Amino acid sequence: MRTTTLVRPSYAEKFRCVGPECLDSCCVGWRVDLDQATYAKYRALPPGPLRAKMDAHLIAASTPLPGAKPGACGHIRADDSGRCPFHTAEQLCQIQIELGPEALSETCATFPRTTFLIDKLADRTLTLSCPEAARLVLLDPNLLDPNRLGSETEPAPSFSWDDEAEGPASLRAHFWALREFSVELMRNRKYPLWQRLFLLGSFARRLDALVDEDRVSSFPALLRQFSAAVASGALRGSIESIPADVPLQLEMVMELVKLRAGSLTANDRLEQTLSAFTKGIGADAGLDRDAQCDRYADAYKRFYRPFFLRHPYILENLLINSIFRRLFPLGPSLFDAAARPQPGREFTLLAVEFSLIKGLLIGVAGANRNGFSTAHVLHTVQTATKTFEHSTGFLPRAQRLLADRCLDNARGVTLLIRN
């Protein structure tokens, strides 16, 4: 018999907006979608300055908005700088000031929180595109302390099941066991972090095989056998046989940045991150690609790696938060019984996000050398998340880029995450 804990994040409950003290603004850089009730409320405001500004900036959606939540029927048009027109010079919301917090749209009222209802349980996570959320998640060495799972007032539930018997013929029925395994693997420091990711990818591809071959009922056996292999270290040999490929890794990081950053309106935080990255690899000094690779490898060895050996929980927390937010390894198929789960694809998307952030961090570490600090990590992760995660087309385009380079496979993804 196996006991599975329903691992749920509790840290979202601790989030509090810091308002004008925030280092960035959630009112700048992306579209503010409006649910139908909020849109109608704004259109029904009495005549006056606020109503006039609403009439000038509210846009009805004639077709479904790309990446919008179900029910979104319009959005607030940003100004030429990408800023919400209701964002004041004091970094406060004019709508909230004049109408109260109850007048905010669901998007504005809940950000940076995301809530999923899974088996009648509210699963709340945070997006790290908010500086305060990034600080709260990344810098907590006890993010998933067993005493803090579930909610602060309700202990995490668990259930027992027979892992030697055949299970249901749906991966959705095994979601909590899949989550528990994934999170425990990311916290298993017997393996370097890149090896943990390799193992997670291998597990996801084996899940793909179960789905493709209609053998999902044998999931309990797979989980038992793979868990035993991880515990024994039996897979170490095959993992370590895959070499590092610094030129490929650096090239892909730069290509991924180009996929998204080239289409954005310039902003100070993104420019600071990219400037530090190019300085760290010597691109600003006109070094050729071979010399840039040498700088990148040196930055990893001398500054990035020692820092994260001292603070191993930071990148673990980054990945664990992604597992929660992405509903890994089932993704949106968790809520769509007609959709075919694609665990391998979900892992590739997870790995792309991580490899991009890791690559930027290596360059930033090289630029700051011995002064590389948690402040640089928070700045880089928050800026990268805001730039890339909130682009509805970025991850699919990134996946196509990998496919074009024949890297959308176990070996290819490993080359992106191994140094």
Side-chain angles (χ1 to χ4, degrees):
M1 297 294 292
R2 178 188 293 262
T3 298
T4 290
T5 299
L6 275 61
V7 180
R8 298 158 60 220
S10 64
Y11 47 82
E13 298 175 10
K14 297 183 176 183
F15 174 80
R16 298 293 182 273
C17 177
V18 297
E21 298 176 13
C22 188
L23 298 174
D24 198 3
S25 173
C26 54
C27 302
V28 180
W30 51 51
R31 183 186 70 213
V32 178
D33 293 336
L34 300 176
D35 55 274
Q36 189 169 4
T38 304
Y39 184 85
K41 182 190 304 180
Y42 291 171
R43 284 297 190 195
L45 288 175
L50 184 61
R51 170 61 186 270
K53 188 181 284 190
M54 289 287 185
D55 289 344
H57 292 279
L58 260 60
I59 307 298
S62 56
T63 59
L65 296 167
K69 290 183 178 180
C73 65
H75 68 280
I76 297 174
R77 182 178 61 197
D79 62 23
D80 292 341
S81 67
R83 180 181 299 270
C84 174
F86 301 99
H87 186 230
T88 70
E90 296 77 27
Q91 295 201 65
L92 298 172
C93 175
Q94 182 183 356
I95 297 172
Q96 182 168 344
I97 292 171
E98 296 193 26
L99 303 178
E102 64 276 6
L104 294 175
S105 68
E106 181 182 1
T107 298
C108 296
T110 60
F111 183 86
R113 309 167 190 86
T114 300
T115 301
F116 300 108
L117 191 64
I118 308 173
D119 293 337
K120 299 182 180 180
L121 297 172
D123 210 51
R124 297 184 179 90
T125 63
L126 296 173
T127 172
L128 305 190
S129 53
C130 164
E132 179 62 15
R135 184 197 65 79
L136 184 69
V137 172
L138 298 180
L139 300 190
D140 187 349
N142 298 305
L143 186 70
L144 291 185
D145 185 291
N147 296 321
R148 290 161 53 186
L149 293 175
S151 70
E152 294 181 353
T153 57
E154 180 183 353
S158 62
F159 64 93
S160 297
W161 54 288
D162 187 352
D163 71 350
E164 294 189 357
E166 287 199 346
S170 167
L171 279 183
R172 296 172 190 83
H174 300 292
F175 173 76
W176 295 108
L178 287 164
R179 170 176 281 187
E180 182 185 50
F181 172 82
S182 301
V183 169
E184 286 183 353
L185 181 56
M186 288 302 98
R187 302 176 72 196
N188 184 350
R189 294 180 185 169
K190 293 180 180 179
Y191 292 88
L193 189 60
W194 76 266
Q195 292 191 6
R196 291 176 238 171
L197 276 169
F198 176 90
L199 290 168
L200 189 64
S202 297
F203 184 67
R205 281 181 287 276
R206 296 195 188 186
L207 292 175
D208 275 344
L210 293 187
V211 173
D212 292 342
E213 298 166 12
D214 292 325
R215 294 190 297 109
V216 174
S217 60
S218 64
F219 166 79
L222 170 63
L223 181 62
R224 184 174 64 253
Q225 293 160 9
F226 202 91
S227 298
V230 170
S232 69
L235 302 173
R236 285 186 188 274
S238 61
I239 299 174
E240 293 173 353
S241 67
I242 300 176
D245 191 332
V246 171
L248 174 65
Q249 187 175 124
L250 180 56
E251 177 188 0
M252 291 305 298
V253 170
M254 297 178 81
E255 287 294 322
L256 289 170
V257 168
K258 278 194 238 179
L259 272 182
R260 173 66 173 143
S263 63
L264 292 173
T265 302
N267 68 79
D268 290 342
R269 289 178 69 83
L270 177 59
E271 288 186 349
Q272 290 165 9
T273 296
L274 297 182
S275 176
F277 171 75
T278 55
K279 178 183 177 181
I281 64 173
D284 65 329
L287 297 183
D288 63 26
R289 186 54 60 88
D290 288 343
Q292 290 177 27
C293 288
D294 290 342
R295 284 277 193 95
Y296 183 82
D298 185 65
Y300 171 82
K301 180 179 180 181
R302 295 176 58 198
F303 309 114
Y304 173 98
R305 186 172 183 272
F307 176 87
F308 286 110
L309 285 176
R310 295 193 302 272
H311 307 90
Y313 54 89
I314 292 179
L315 295 181
E316 293 172 1
N317 291 354
L318 172 67
L319 285 163
I320 288 169
N321 189 66
S322 292
I323 286 171
F324 289 143
R325 278 187 54 76
R326 298 191 65 82
L327 301 171
F328 182 86
L330 300 183
S333 74
L334 177 63
F335 302 118
D336 185 354
R340 192 176 183 85
Q342 297 179 287
R345 178 181 183 275
E346 292 300 322
F347 172 75
T348 298
L349 298 178
L350 182 77
V352 165
E353 283 185 327
F354 178 75
S355 64
L356 174 58
I357 290 174
K358 186 196 72 168
L360 290 173
L361 284 170
I362 291 172
V364 172
N368 292 281
R369 302 175 70 81
N370 291 322
F372 183 58
S373 68
T374 55
H376 297 116
V377 174
L378 292 178
H379 185 288
T380 303
V381 172
Q382 182 266 327
T383 303
T385 304
K386 183 173 182 178
T387 302
F388 300 99
E389 181 182 283
H390 292 272
S391 167
T392 56
F394 169 70
L395 285 176
R397 292 199 304 272
Q399 192 173 31
R400 287 197 296 273
L401 176 63
L402 293 186
D404 291 344
R405 304 292 183 89
C406 298
L407 296 173
D408 57 337
N409 51 56
R411 184 178 182 84
V413 173
T414 303
L415 290 174
L416 295 182
I417 59 179
R418 177 170 189 182
N419 286 86

